[in-house]
Every structure is written in C-alpha cells, then in structure tokens.
Amino acid sequence: MSGRLGRPRHASGRPRAGLLGARSVAGQVLLLQIVVAVLLITAAVVALAFQTRYDSERDAQNRSLAAAESFAEAPGTLQALRAADPTAALQPHVRDAREGAGVDFLVVMARDGTRYADTDPRLIGRRAEGVERAAAGSAFTEVFEGDPNDAARAVVPVTDAGGAVAGLVGAGVRIESVGDAVDRHLPVLLGCAAAALALATGSSALVSRRLRRQTHGLGPTEMTRMYEHHDAVLHAVREGVLIIGGDGRLTLANDEARRLLALPADAEGRPVAELGLDEDTAGLLTSGRTVTDEVHLAGDRLLGVNTRRTAPYGGPPGTVATLRDTTELRAMSGAAELARERLKLLYEAGVRIGTTLDVVRTAEELSEVAVPRFADFVTVELLDPVLRGEEPAGAPAEMRRAAVTGIRPDHPLQPVGDLIRFDVPTTPMAAALAGGHAVLEADLAVAHGWRAQDPAGADRAVAHGIHSLLVVPLRARGVVLGMANFWRSERPERFEAEDLAFAEELAARAAVAIDNARRFTREHAMAVTLQRSLLPRVLPEQDAVDVAHRYLPAQAGVGGDWFDVIPLPGARVALVVGDVVGHGLHAAATMGRLRTAVHNFSALDLPPDELLGHLDELVSRIDEEEAGDAAGGDAITGATCLYAIYDPVSGRCAMATAGHFSPVLVRPDGSVELLRVPVFPPLGLGGLPFETTEVRLPEGSRLVLYTDGLIEHRRRDVDTGLRLLCDTLAAHADGTPEDTCRAVFDAMLPPHRDDDIALLVARTHLLGPERVADWDVPPDPAAVAPVRAACGRQLEAWGLGDIGFSTELMLSELITNAIRHGSAPIHVRLLFQRSLICEVSDGSSTLPHLRRAATTDEGGRGLFLVSQFAGRWGTRYTPTGKVMWTEQPLAPDGQQPAVDLPLDDVTW
C-alpha cells in the first residue's frame, strides 16, 4: 500500500434492491425481524397453551378436593357408612352432590377402595385403585390415569370422633373436560398471536423504511466517494494513526504518524521492531495492550499514545494506535496545575490563618499552611512590640522567632523565642527589610552574603540539606511587623522567580491577620488592665465572713463581671457580684461605674431591694444618655447584679437579685442548696420593684456567688453547669473558702473562655453573745445615767476601759437626742468586734444632721462631739425607725483621740 486506504470493491451495474429485497440491508433487517417475531409469538402461544392446561388441571383438582371434603364432612355420611346397606343410604345423595359440586364423578368407598356409591351405578362394588394414602388418613389430589377414565381426582378419608378412618370419598373431573376448557381458549390465543404477528410485521416494515431513509439509499458510487473523503481526512488530521497487523508489521500509517515517529518511506509492511522506534513505544505497539493517553518519548517529543484492538470491531487481527504531540500541552497543563494548586493554597491560607486573635498562634498558622506544599521548613519572626500588642516604630534591627514548622522535628534552625538580629546588610533578611519586598536565594551553597551573619549556623543548615531560601517581610498598613522565611531541603526544586509573587501574597494575608491580632492584644491588655484596676485588689478587713475569690477575664475579650465585699455598720457585710453584658473597654468602664454606684448606695445602708432599685434607675439614665450620643451608642442594658447583706449577730442574710443567678449555700453538714431568690429583670429594663429574701445561715456556712461564665459556655448549658457546681461543692464541703475556689475552678473552667468568670466564696461567722450587750431605755432623761453606768461596766468587763470616757460621752448624747427628738421604743446595743460599735435605735424616722452651733445656742453640739470621738458614725433606717451608730477603733496604749473643741463650747 502506498500510504492510502484501499478502495472498496463493488459489482458495478447491479440493480439496486427494493425495500423488501433480501440483498438490501433494509430487506434483511425486515426478514430477520419477521422471523424473530414469528418465533417469539409461537413460543408465547405454546407457553400459554401449556399454562392454560396446567391451570385447568389445578382448578379441577381443587374443585374435586372441595367436593370430596364437603361430602366427607357432611352430616350423615359417617352414619351411612356404618349402616347395614351403605349403598342404599348413600347413592341418592351422591347423585345430588355431584350435580351441585360441578364435578364429573363422586364416589364413596370402603377403606379398601370398594365402591359403596358412585355417580355411575355400574361401578358400584368395584374397587378403586391408588387410594391407599387416603385409607391411611391423608387426603390427596392427583391426575389419575387408569380405569374407568383418566381424571383429575381427590380422595378424602371419612373419620369418626376418635380419628379412625371409616371410609373414603372421591371426586374428580375427567381429563376430557379439562381438555375442552383448554380448547375453548385456543381461538383467543391464536387470535392474539395473529394480531401480534401483524403488529410486528408492520413495525418491522416501518423500521426498515426508516433505515433506508437514514442511509439515503447510497449506492456503490456514493459509498466510494465517501471512503475517498475519509481517506483524505485520515491524512489531514493533526493526529497520527497507525494500524499494526497481528503479525507485528505496520499495515498503515498516516502522514502525521510518519512525521511524529520519523518513519522511513517504506515503513508500511515492515516489522515495527525494525522501524527505529523507542524500545518502549515499539513494545507497546506490538503487545496488543489497550492504553489511554500513555506518554512515550519520541526524539524530543512527548507523545500521548492510545491503542485499541481491531478484532472486536470487525477488522482483521491487529492494533490501531493514535498519536498526539503533548509536549506543549504538558507544559501548559503543568503550569495551569501549579497555578491551581497555588490558588487552592491561598484559599486555605485565608481560611486557616487568623482563626484566633492571638499573635503567636497566627504566626504558627502561617508556617503550618506553607508546609509541606510550598516549603519544607518555615520560620516566622515578629518584632517584640508586635508580640506585646504595641505599635511597632523605627527601623527593625532585631526580631523574635515566633514560629517554626517543618516536615521533620529535627532541624538546624534557631528555636522559638530566640532573638534574630539583622546586622549584616548582605543577608537576604536585611535586604528584604531594606527593600520592602521578597528576596530569593535560590542556591544557599553559593550564597556568601547569607553566610556572613552566622557562618557556623549556615554550615549546619547546608549540611542538613537546606539548599534554597525565600524571605518575605510581613507588612501591614505600610509597617513592618515581622518576617517569614521559606526553606527547602527535601524537595530538589529550588525556589524560582515565579515563587516570589505567591510568597508575597501569602505573607500579605498573614500580615493582616497578625496586625488584627496585635490590635486585639493591645485592646485586650488595656481592657484587662482597666478591669483589674476597677476590681478590689485587697478585700477590706471584717470579721463577719472569711472570703476567697477568683476572677478570670475572657480570652476573646474582657467583659464586665465584678465582685465586691463591703463592710456595713453593725458588724455587717455586703456581698456583691454582677455582670455587664458585652466585652471590651466599654464593658469594663461600665462595670467600674456600677461598682462605684453600689459602694455609694451601700453607704446609705439601704436594704438590698432598695439599693437595686436605685441602681436600676442609674442604669436607665446612663442608657438614655449613651443612646443619644452619636459617637458611642453602646447601651449597657443587660447588666445583672446580686446584692446580699449578712448580719453576724442574728445570722440572717438578706439578698435580692436583678437578673443574676441565685447563690449556692453549703451548710456545715455538707448539704448543698441552690437558694430560691425571686428573679427580676436585669438592670435598666425597669418594671416591678425588687424583692428581698432573708435566710438564716448557720455558723460555718459557705455562701457561693458566681457569674454565668462559670456555669455556662458553648459546650455546656446552664442546668448542667449548676449541677456540676453543686456536685463539686458537695465533694469539697470541708475545705476552706480558698480550697473551694480552687476545686471549683479545677472542675469547671472551660477549655476556651468566651466570657469573664467571677467567683466569691464567703464562710459565715456568728458574733457570740458574750460580745453583745443591749439595754432598753425608758423615754425619760433620768434613765440616761443608769444606762451610761451600765455601759461603762460592760466596757470594763471587755477590757476597754481606756475608751470608756469617750464612749459614755457619745452614748449620753445619742440617748439624750433619742429621748428628746425620737420616740419609743429606745434601745442601746454594744458590739465588741474588731472595733467597738455603739447603736442607739428609736421609733422615729427623723434624721439628725450635723451643724455648727452658734455661740449663744445652748445645744446643737452633740453630733459634733460624736463626729470627733468616733472613727465613723452614721444613721440607717429600719422598718420600725432608725439607728444612730458609731464605730471606735480600739485605741492603743490607752491613748484617747484629741478633740479640737474648747470645753467652754461643750454643752451637756
């Protein structure tokens, strides 16, 4: 062959066959379809005939069994069999039953098969065959062939009450009757077959006509022209085509195949092994294997080879191979694949870098993203101010290593925490900082400038296999925050110029995340500093309760949680815990304002419900002011507070809550109770007045106050947190308040704190009766002297005679004022604790005021004397009146406080 396809041979001048001609494709298809239809229809008719006969026989057996069982179980059949003349008793009933059951015969027999009665009287007395199974007690059906006729019959035993077989009943339908039923169906079957054959013939004719129309009635000339066109196309396509015969010789090669393989002119007909092809390519062409896009080398070209066997497709044994030049396509697809991989890596960097607002963790995320798909080792250095959350300033001369990630844990690079200096300007790090762009050192083995900074460290890195380096400064808002270094050791490819743009893009995304984390670190540090400065640093000294506390700010932002312990007059103490919804500086500042307000309101010695009412009004007023401020409209609605007052004299604790969780009480016996305190809306929402609840606390009880950050977080609901808190307190019921705080935090701290946590544990004390003295005072001025003398004796008993004079003087003034200006009942109480507390109560709500008396006034100087002698003094209201109180520190060495007042001005 001369490189062209052979022309198909044909018989010229042969008349074209008609549609139904056997020589045409359409005629052969029509004939084949008709034959197949006839065979299928014949098989279907035969199958239906057999099925109809089988169904008719089964129906006959079922009818026979039903008739025989009905007659066998009919009343009187058993008695008739036992009669002296069974034939006379049964014969009439047999005839009637046969007609009613629709069977051809019905017979009653003895156990041995002797007929007692039969629809054919001539058979009475003759024995029936094959009834042994029924005589044994089992009914059966069968197609019986024998005397007197072939039939589908059923034989049923007749049994007595004991189960013994007394006789047999047989019924059946003759095979002739069954055949008649089948014959009645044959016309219908044959009619359906004829209709199906007609339909199949018509559809086949339509298909043949359609086939002839689709081939356009092409004759030999048209087919020859078509093959010529195919031959021209075969040699014009830009894809090589080879046909190798089963003997391993080249049968056909088009022009493109000759060009790609550099085949000689006489290649066709020669063995493939002698054509000078690559050994692998020649082996594939003669192996008969089927491959798809297998790449082979032909000179300096990469060919994509596809092979298929020709035998299954009607041709002679051999192989068809197509060849495609993929050299340029491979290069383009490789570049596209690399670009796609880089885009995917940048997308992952956007997702994985900056998941936390932690500067060091963000640097670690940058190094983890780039290993191992871009570099084998990555180191990240950051400026110290950036690590602290501060704004970097000045030219960076040194940085601290913040992250190291590699394909192996062993590496010669400096560890995290080391200080990295940039003293030598020839290093790529210094050049990157100076130029503000990425710097490439493709081959570190010959990079002398890189070695100048640390020759020993450079030698260790090269000995470890590190051979290529790419340095990128981390810049955000035009400010350098740090540097990322990408190192390669395991992969042989060096960094190239096209890697610079990708590394800079990756570093730019990381730099933005690091800068956001730096800003958050700064704000978080400021908020934590503000929060801690507003919280109590040292709890005040008092003897009512032993207190331990804990406070932890949220990791994602400081909130507005606070706690407080406030000493109150009368040896009492106020326990406070609150929470401002929100995070950041605003929440911390708001917390400070509320804490200050609580201190101010507590100085008025208000009950818990009234104090929360004043605090609620304050929060509402602040909200209104801030809502109208265009610069900052952050409202603080949502602040909660729990305020409790404990009196160590009575052991009672009065408490009220505004949207806060109730405290937990741990009794001295170890029982734990969540106190039921009426819950009201948070502060600032307004509404109904608050309500105070009182509970008596035995000495040694522990009152646990907390904020919601302790019991609730994203993985634990409130109910679960409260149960865990109560279980933890019950398990550590014998510890000190400090032990309780430690145990609660160990058991309940979440892995990541989304909210502040405040915890306050107070263990109660009672003031013993030996340290309390009280007297009722009649509303008579003459009663002042006896009470004053009794108080002096009590002070001597307590060993406080050094302050007896000042105490008696103040009590005289207070009792006298209560008698003159107050109302009954009047009561005096002394409390000996850390200080001496004197209380004078009366039934009047009139509040005395301190004023400066004129020189001519005979009175008005009593409260002035009280203010001079007392360390603290004041007035508080009670449900029945008021209490005037003083506190005196126990003066050391018997020293009395000096009074800057001439005796001439003192009135008694």
Side-chain angles (χ1 to χ4, degrees):
M1 303 180 71
S2 59
R4 298 289 178 177
L5 288 173
R7 301 293 189 268
R9 293 176 295 177
H10 62 276
S12 59
R14 180 174 296 175
R16 183 177 300 172
L19 175 60
L20 301 179
R23 295 180 179 274
S24 67
V25 174
Q28 292 178 1
V29 170
L30 175 62
L31 180 60
L32 179 61
Q33 288 179 331
I34 292 175
V35 171
V36 171
V38 169
L39 292 176
L40 292 177
I41 293 171
T42 302
V45 170
V46 172
L48 286 174
F50 277 109
Q51 183 65 35
T52 302
R53 183 173 184 85
Y54 172 75
D55 293 342
S56 299
E57 289 180 356
R58 289 296 301 272
D59 180 64
Q61 292 179 26
N62 292 337
R63 283 191 289 124
S64 301
L65 179 61
E69 288 179 344
S70 298
F71 195 86
E73 296 174 0
T77 301
L78 180 60
Q79 290 78 1
L81 286 171
R82 293 177 176 176
D85 188 4
T87 301
L90 292 171
Q91 185 64 23
H93 298 291
V94 167
R95 289 194 299 270
D96 296 339
R98 184 197 68 80
E99 294 175 358
V103 295
D104 289 338
F105 62 85
L106 186 64
V107 57
V108 182
M109 301 166 284
R111 292 186 59 185
D112 60 356
T114 303
R115 292 180 174 88
Y116 288 151
D118 198 321
T119 52
D120 187 355
R122 294 174 299 177
L123 300 177
I124 296 175
R126 295 175 58 182
R127 292 185 61 183
E129 299 177 359
V131 297
E132 290 79 7
R133 283 181 291 169
S138 299
F140 67 90
T141 61
E142 65 178 353
V143 176
F144 175 78
E145 296 180 358
D147 188 52
N149 49 48
D150 298 341
R153 72 172 183 175
V155 182
V156 177
V158 180
T159 59
D160 56 15
V165 178
L168 306 176
V169 176
V173 178
R174 291 192 299 274
I175 295 301
E176 290 82 356
S177 300
V178 175
D180 293 341
V182 175
D183 293 341
R184 287 194 298 272
H185 288 83
L186 282 178
V188 177
L189 295 176
L190 293 177
C192 292
L197 180 60
L199 181 62
T201 303
S203 62
S204 299
L206 292 177
V207 171
S208 298
R209 184 180 298 275
R210 177 72 175 178
L211 179 61
R212 183 176 181 84
R213 186 164 55 251
Q214 290 293 328
T215 58
H216 302 288
L218 291 176
T221 305
E222 291 83 356
M223 294 297 292
T224 300
R225 185 179 303 112
M226 181 181 66
Y227 276 107
E228 289 176 347
H229 291 166
H230 288 180
D231 191 28
V233 171
L234 176 67
H235 294 281
V237 295
R238 302 298 297 173
E239 186 166 326
V241 178
L242 299 174
I243 298 180
I244 296 93
D247 56 357
R249 294 178 178 272
L250 180 64
T251 303
L252 181 143
N254 69 345
D255 296 342
E256 182 66 9
R258 292 174 179 274
R259 184 184 69 84
L260 294 175
L261 298 177
L263 297 176
D266 58 346
E268 294 178 351
R270 295 174 55 184
V272 173
E274 300 177 1
L275 298 179
L277 302 178
D278 180 80
E279 183 178 352
D280 292 340
T281 305
L284 172 63
L285 296 177
T286 57
S287 65
R289 290 190 298 116
T290 298
V291 299
T292 300
D293 290 335
E294 187 172 299
V295 179
H296 286 262
L297 185 64
D300 57 350
R301 301 177 183 275
L302 290 176
L303 303 182
V305 182
N306 297 272
T307 60
R308 296 292 185 272
R309 300 297 298 270
T310 59
Y313 306 101
T319 301
V320 175
T322 59
L323 313 173
R324 184 174 62 256
D325 189 355
T326 62
T327 305
E328 297 179 358
L329 182 61
R330 272 262 165 208
M332 294 176 60
S333 63
E337 179 64 26
L338 180 60
R340 183 166 55 252
E341 181 65 23
R342 293 288 171 83
L343 287 176
K344 183 180 178 181
L345 188 56
L346 286 176
Y347 171 77
E348 291 185 8
V351 174
R352 293 174 55 185
I353 298 177
T355 58
T356 66
L357 292 174
D358 182 82
V359 174
V360 175
R361 180 58 193 152
T362 305
E364 292 173 349
E365 289 170 343
L366 166 61
S367 62
E368 291 168 358
V369 164
V371 175
R373 287 188 289 176
F374 182 66
D376 296 327
F377 294 95
V378 176
T379 58
V380 180
E381 290 84 48
L382 297 176
L383 293 169
D384 279 337
V386 175
L387 292 171
R388 295 192 299 267
E390 301 172 1
E391 188 77 23
E398 60 183 24
M399 297 182 184
R400 189 152 322 260
R401 180 145 292 173
V404 178
T405 301
I407 56 176
R408 297 191 313 273
D410 60 310
H411 57 78
L413 305 174
Q414 290 178 258
V416 172
D418 271 17
L419 197 63
I420 311 298
R421 302 188 61 85
F422 311 107
D423 298 332
V424 181
T426 58
T427 61
M429 294 78 172
L433 290 175
H437 54 76
V439 173
L440 170 65
E441 284 288 356
D443 190 357
L444 293 178
V446 297
H448 301 291
W450 170 66
R451 293 175 176 271
Q453 179 74 36
D454 182 10
D459 291 339
R460 287 194 301 270
V462 173
H464 194 268
I466 295 178
H467 60 83
S468 190
L469 169 65
L470 200 159
V471 180
V472 188
L474 299 174
R475 299 170 59 90
R477 301 175 293 107
V479 177
V480 175
L481 306 177
M483 181 178 302
N485 305 304
F486 302 92
W487 314 78
R488 281 185 179 174
S489 62
E490 294 297 322
R491 63 172 67 192
E493 302 88 359
R494 301 173 180 173
F495 285 114
E496 299 178 351
E498 56 265 23
D499 295 324
L500 292 173
F502 169 77
E504 288 181 339
E505 179 65 24
L506 185 61
R509 299 191 179 196
V512 172
I514 291 173
D515 190 51
N516 291 336
R518 179 195 62 80
R519 292 185 177 188
F520 171 79
T521 300
R522 179 188 60 187
E523 294 182 2
H524 183 71
M526 293 172 59
V528 169
T529 302
L530 176 61
Q531 177 85 332
R532 293 193 181 279
S533 67
L534 295 175
L535 289 172
R537 297 191 178 186
V538 179
L539 295 181
E541 294 183 355
Q542 44 79 36
D543 296 328
V545 291
D546 293 334
V547 177
H549 60 87
R550 291 289 188 277
Y551 171 77
L552 283 179
Q555 292 174 314
V558 174
D561 293 13
W562 90 92
F563 64 91
D564 221 330
V565 178
I566 306 173
L568 297 178
R572 298 169 302 148
V573 65
L575 305 175
V576 190
V577 65
D579 182 7
V580 175
V581 176
H583 295 86
L585 292 173
H586 181 268
T590 302
M591 179 274 294
R593 299 171 72 179
L594 295 184
R595 178 170 178 259
T596 302
V598 171
H599 269 266
N600 293 334
F601 291 141
S602 66
L604 301 176
D605 209 350
L606 300 174
D609 55 342
E610 293 185 20
L611 185 142
L612 290 182
H614 288 294
L615 197 62
D616 182 65
E617 294 179 2
L618 173 65
V619 172
S620 298
R621 187 162 58 252
I622 295 175
D623 279 347
E624 292 176 0
E625 294 173 356
E626 293 191 348
D629 186 1
D634 292 335
I636 63 171
T637 300
T640 65
C641 182
L642 172 67
Y643 187 82
I645 298 177
Y646 173 67
D647 186 355
V649 178
S650 64
R652 291 189 172 276
C653 182
M655 62 190 73
T657 178
H660 205 85
F661 290 102
S662 300
V664 179
L665 175 63
V666 184
R667 300 186 183 275
D669 60 0
S671 61
V672 178
E673 177 187 357
L674 182 64
L675 296 179
R676 297 182 178 275
V677 182
V679 179
F680 288 86
L683 300 172
L685 297 182
L688 298 176
F690 296 96
E691 181 179 344
T692 296
T693 298
E694 283 196 2
V695 59
R696 182 173 178 81
L697 305 181
E699 186 173 12
S701 300
R702 278 177 294 167
L703 196 63
V704 181
L705 289 74
Y706 51 91
T707 57
D708 58 351
L710 178 68
I711 61 173
E712 181 184 16
H713 57 83
R714 64 181 66 179
R715 298 181 182 176
R716 185 170 64 206
D717 58 23
V718 174
D719 294 336
T720 303
L722 287 175
R723 285 196 301 271
L724 180 58
L725 175 60
C726 292
D727 293 343
T728 304
L729 293 175
H732 300 81
D734 299 331
T736 64
E738 184 66 29
D739 295 336
T740 302
C741 287
R742 186 182 304 110
V744 170
F745 265 41
D746 290 343
M748 301 192 62
L749 276 187
H752 181 79
R753 297 189 302 277
D754 298 325
D755 196 3
D756 290 10
I757 298 175
L759 175 65
L760 184 65
V761 180
R763 183 170 59 188
T764 62
H765 295 289
L766 288 178
L767 194 62
E770 70 279 1
R771 288 180 172 265
V772 180
D774 56 352
W775 300 269
D776 291 325
V777 181
D780 184 0
V784 175
V787 174
R788 176 176 176 176
C791 292
R793 290 191 296 272
Q794 184 63 58
L795 292 178
E796 290 291 342
W798 282 341
L800 301 179
D802 294 339
I803 59 173
F805 173 76
S806 60
T807 303
E808 292 178 17
L809 179 61
M810 289 187 294
L811 282 175
S812 295
E813 294 295 334
L814 294 178
I815 295 173
T816 302
N817 282 336
I819 293 174
R820 290 180 177 178
H821 306 292
S823 61
I826 301 174
H827 190 79
V828 175
R829 186 172 71 169
L830 299 182
L831 303 177
F832 177 28
Q833 202 185 30
R834 188 181 299 271
S835 60
L836 179 64
I837 302 173
C838 303
E839 296 180 345
V840 177
S841 62
D842 66 84
S844 172
S845 59
T846 302
L847 182 66
H849 296 281
L850 178 67
R851 67 182 180 86
R852 178 171 291 276
T855 57
T856 59
D857 290 342
E858 295 183 359
R861 297 176 178 84
L863 289 182
F864 183 76
L865 286 174
V866 171
S867 67
Q868 293 297 308
F869 280 102
R872 292 199 310 154
W873 70 279
T875 306
R876 72 174 184 271
Y877 289 104
T878 66
T880 59
K882 67 178 181 296
V883 176
M884 292 290 296
W885 58 268
T886 66
E887 285 189 13
Q888 291 175 266
L890 306 181
D893 301 330
Q895 296 179 1
Q896 295 293 326
V899 181
D900 186 15
L901 182 67
L903 292 178
D904 297 340
D905 292 339
V906 177
T907 59
W908 300 90

